[in-house]
Amino acid sequence: MGTYSGPKGPDAISVGAGPSADGPGPTLGRGKPYRDVRCALRMEVPIMTDGKQQYGSTEVVFPHPAVVDFPHVFSVDPSNGKYACTFLIDKDTEEGKETLKANMQAIFNAVKRGFIDGVFKVKGIDPDADDFDAKAKEFMRSEGFHNPLRDGGPKAEKTPEFADRYYVKASSKPSDEHPSVPAVDMRRTPLTSATLYSGALAKAKIWYAPYSNNNGTGVTAVLIAIVKTGDGERLAGSGPSDPLDGFGLPDGEPKSDDPFEGIV
């Protein structure tokens, strides 16, 4: 691992690029993958005993809506068999800052979990030492560490919606226990590809998991659920919400059962 040249100080958690947009699959110790990562959610926060260091929750529910981009949650991507969705988070609004902070904290907790569970093994970083938090943050800033929360600036030239935003791409593989990603609106009405589109506003539940394997070292974002909170401006390439747009048809249901009314 190299050194970090950005902001200094124990509270300056880096938001940087990693080896891929997704990151490899999550693992638990010695590079062994979880059979279903969501099965581990209820055992992720240990109780502190004997003064030993611990990590907090590695799961986050966005406190404020983010902008949905590239939603692929109603069918898996045939190239990798995963559901996935990208969430764009404003850098400068108070709501965006709160959402970023919540995600940063969960990612940091995942890093600490990685050391406590033995996923990460770095000389000089001891989970029981007083400087564990500071050393864990330095580890996050090291070259080659994959942070799933990334600056959208480098992508803004080709995809303008990434400008002035951070983004996180979360994904998950279907399993027998969790065959799909729950995606509903505020009334628990299931969403469709027409109602969950690039540009829609939504909150997400994401679980952050540490990994260290042949693909690298870092934290990966596991998509648990999506709740749409409102509509937004459609982003380029997302397509119309109504597949019948452009035909000049009247809005709503036909007012007569006579198919020839107004024609003959």
Side-chain angles (χ1 to χ4, degrees), residues 168-247:
V168 57
K169 181 177 181 181
S171 61
S172 64
K173 281 192 173 183
S175 66
D176 291 340
E177 185 175 356
H178 300 281
S180 62
V181 174
V184 299
D185 64 15
M186 296 294 286
R187 296 182 177 181
R188 284 183 173 262
T189 303
L191 300 173
T192 67
S193 57
T195 55
L196 185 66
Y197 52 87
S198 292
L201 303 178
K203 294 182 179 180
K205 178 182 284 187
I206 293 175
W207 180 52
Y208 290 107
Y211 69 86
S212 182
N213 53 35
N214 293 335
N215 293 312
T217 299
V219 170
T220 191
V222 181
L223 182 61
I224 304 300
I226 299 172
V227 174
K228 180 183 175 182
T229 59
D231 290 304
E233 182 179 353
R234 287 181 172 271
L235 302 179
S238 62
S241 58
D242 184 351
L244 296 178
D245 280 352
F247 287 98

Side-chain angles (χ1 to χ4, degrees), residues 32-80:
K32 296 180 180 179
Y34 284 124
R35 185 173 52 210
D36 181 348
V37 294
R38 282 167 287 193
C39 293
L41 290 175
R42 289 171 178 79
M43 60 180 184
E44 65 174 20
V45 185
I47 298 173
M48 180 180 287
T49 58
D50 301 327
K52 291 185 177 181
Q53 295 282 355
Q54 64 167 2
Y55 54 85
S57 178
T58 60
E59 178 186 289
V60 63
V61 175
F62 287 16
H64 302 284
V67 177
V68 170
D69 204 9
F70 304 113
H72 204 108
V73 298
F74 304 107
S75 62
V76 298
D77 184 340
S79 68
N80 57 22

Side-chain angles (χ1 to χ4, degrees), residues 65-139:
V67 177
V68 170
D69 204 9
F70 304 113
H72 204 108
V73 298
F74 304 107
S75 62
V76 298
D77 184 340
S79 68
N80 57 22
K82 293 182 179 181
Y83 298 106
C85 189
T86 297
F87 301 93
L88 309 178
I89 306 170
D90 290 337
K91 291 181 179 181
D92 299 325
T93 65
E94 289 304 315
E95 292 82 2
K97 290 176 181 178
E98 289 181 10
T99 302
L100 286 170
K101 183 177 179 180
N103 280 270
M104 287 179 178
Q105 185 62 59
I107 293 168
F108 179 51
N109 291 343
V111 171
K112 293 200 292 183
R113 174 182 185 161
F115 283 105
I116 293 170
D117 289 353
V119 178
F120 302 144
K121 295 180 180 180
V122 177
K123 185 177 180 180
I125 301 182
D126 181 0
D128 294 329
D130 292 338
D131 64 353
F132 175 49
D133 280 17
K135 288 290 184 68
K137 288 175 182 177
E138 289 180 9
F139 173 75

